[in-house]
Structure formats: structure tokens, C-alpha cells
Amino acid sequence: MAQELRHLISDAPRVMVVDGSKLVRKLIADVLQREVPGVQVIGCSSIAEARIALEQGEVHLVTTALALPDGDGLEIARSVREAAGQAYVPVIVVSGDAQQHLEERRFTEFVTDYFDKALGHEALATFIRGYVQPEPVVGATILYIEDSRVVAETTRRMLERQSLNVVHVLKAEDAFALLTAESLGLSTHKFDLVLTDVILKGELSGRDIVQRIRVDFAYGKRRLPILVMTGDSNRDNQAELLQAGANDLVLKPIAERLLVTKGLFQLRLARMDASRALV
């Protein structure tokens, strides 16, 4: 049985939704009210309104657009972090330009995660639902590449607590062998997601894994999502990983909540696309 993993630990969570569009605010509020018992949604159309809301009490989750009538939505993230008494508060950017901002590493350390509006309203509902209360993706198998057995064991436990199957290998070459066998129908595994460290022993790195999966195997981001774990804070290097084809990054030290949330979201999104293809 999966271990419960809640982001909103309050019995009466207060969630702030900041967006200049009344329609978007209502969409997000409807999802939250459906998924989170006792939630109080505070809708704000501007930075000024959001700051007033923060002065009226703590919040437990924030979603914000990037473009607001009175400035950059990233100021919301900063205001949340600087507000007196704030503990860990997920701040999620919801924007049509999110992917570009992610690749260019414009997001600051104050932003927890992002969602690209281009994925659609159904995916937004899935994302928020998964962020508030991650649920297992039954039968999903992760190909995990990590050359440290100690780190691998810790990370494997995080994933297996969510009923995810994990196949761990130490080298990129071993991962390619498994993917090749799967592509030829010679494997008992069907991989739904790849999780790799960026620095690996040997000649090949996590970046090489991303490039080969995208180019040589020709697997797109929805066919086989890739999460890359990195301790490199250099924004240019992070951008290169995303531009090479990684779906997202998980920064070290690994936070279990973020690793699981990002992984489950990518898995659900991939399955959503697969279901559509069958229609």
C-alpha cells in the first residue's frame, strides 16, 4: 500500500490562486475545492491583492501566473518566501510560457514547480490533483540509473513507497541494453519513465542518456518521460539538460515530496496521452 504523501498538511488549507484571468482562477479553484476537503481558496488578480492576502494569514499552497496586471508573478513567489511565519509552501507557476522560462532557467529558487497551460485544462486538473495528493500510478515501472548504491537504495525506497516498480542499473550502458531489449520485444519490462543522475561513472553521463533516448530510440517526451537528478546549480547547464530532451529536473539534495510529485505527474500525463491515442 502506498504511503500517504500530502502537500497540504492543514485540516483547513488556505490556498492562494493568483491570475489576472477570472476564468483561470475559477478553473483552479474548482479543482481544489473538488479535491481538497475544507480548502479555502483565495483568488487574487494582482500582486497587490496577493500581498494583502498574505498579510491576513498563512497560506499552504500558491499558484500564480507569470504575467500579472501589476508586474511579474515571480514576485509572488518571493513575497510568499519572505512573509513572516511561512514554512514550506509550494509555489506553482501556471503559464503558457512556463516551458520556455524553465529551459532558460528564469525561475528562481522561490518557485517550487511549474505548469504549462499549453497542456490543457484536463492536464492542469491532473497536475493540481497530483500535487495536492499524489496517488499511485498502478503498474508503472521506472528505469533508474544511479552509480551510488547507497543513494540508489534511498531513492528506490521513496519511489516504492508509492507502489512504483523500480529497475535500478549502475551504468548508462546497462540502461541502453534494457531499452533495446524492450524495443525488440525481448524484455519482461515495459518502462514508463526514466530517472537518471546526471553524473555517472564511466564515459556516458545522464545527458548522454537523454540524448540517446530522444534521438537514437526516437522516444518523445510523452512516450518515455525522463527526469534528471542534478546537484549542479548552474542555470546554463540545467537548461542544456532540458533542451536535450529531459522532461524535468530534480535538484539535489532530493526532496521526497518533489521527486514523487514530479514523477507521478509525468506518468499520469503520459498515460493521458496514450488514452487519447486509443480513442
Side-chain angles (χ1 to χ4, degrees), residues 122 222-223 269-279:
E122 184 181 356
R222 295 291 168 256
R223 165 61 179 82
L269 200 57
R271 290 197 172 189
M272 187 185 302
D273 280 9
S275 297
R276 285 175 180 158
L278 295 175
V279 175

Side-chain angles (χ1 to χ4, degrees), residues 214-258:
R214 296 292 179 243
V215 178
D216 294 353
F217 286 90
Y219 290 157
K221 288 187 175 182
R222 295 291 168 256
R223 165 61 179 82
L224 187 60
I226 305 173
L227 295 181
V228 178
M229 300 185 295
T230 177
D232 187 348
S233 60
N234 184 291
R235 292 179 179 269
D236 291 336
N237 293 341
Q238 292 175 3
E240 285 181 4
L241 291 168
L242 293 160
Q243 291 162 0
N247 289 62
D248 206 345
L249 307 179
V250 183
L251 301 183
K252 294 182 175 182
I254 301 299
E256 183 171 359
R257 286 183 176 186
L258 293 183

Side-chain angles (χ1 to χ4, degrees), residues 15-19 25 29 41-46 49-50 53:
V15 178
M16 187 165 69
V17 177
V18 189
D19 198 293
R25 294 199 303 273
V41 180
I42 300 95
C44 303
S45 62
S46 65
E49 287 185 14

Side-chain angles (χ1 to χ4, degrees), residues 44 56 69 74 79 96-97 100 107-108 113 144 147 155 177 197 236 240 247 251 278:
C44 303
Q56 294 173 346
L74 296 181
S79 296
D97 298 325
Q100 179 181 345
F107 291 152
T108 69
D113 215 334
Y144 175 32
D147 57 19
T155 306
D197 195 0
D236 291 336
E240 285 181 4
N247 289 62
L251 301 183
L278 295 175

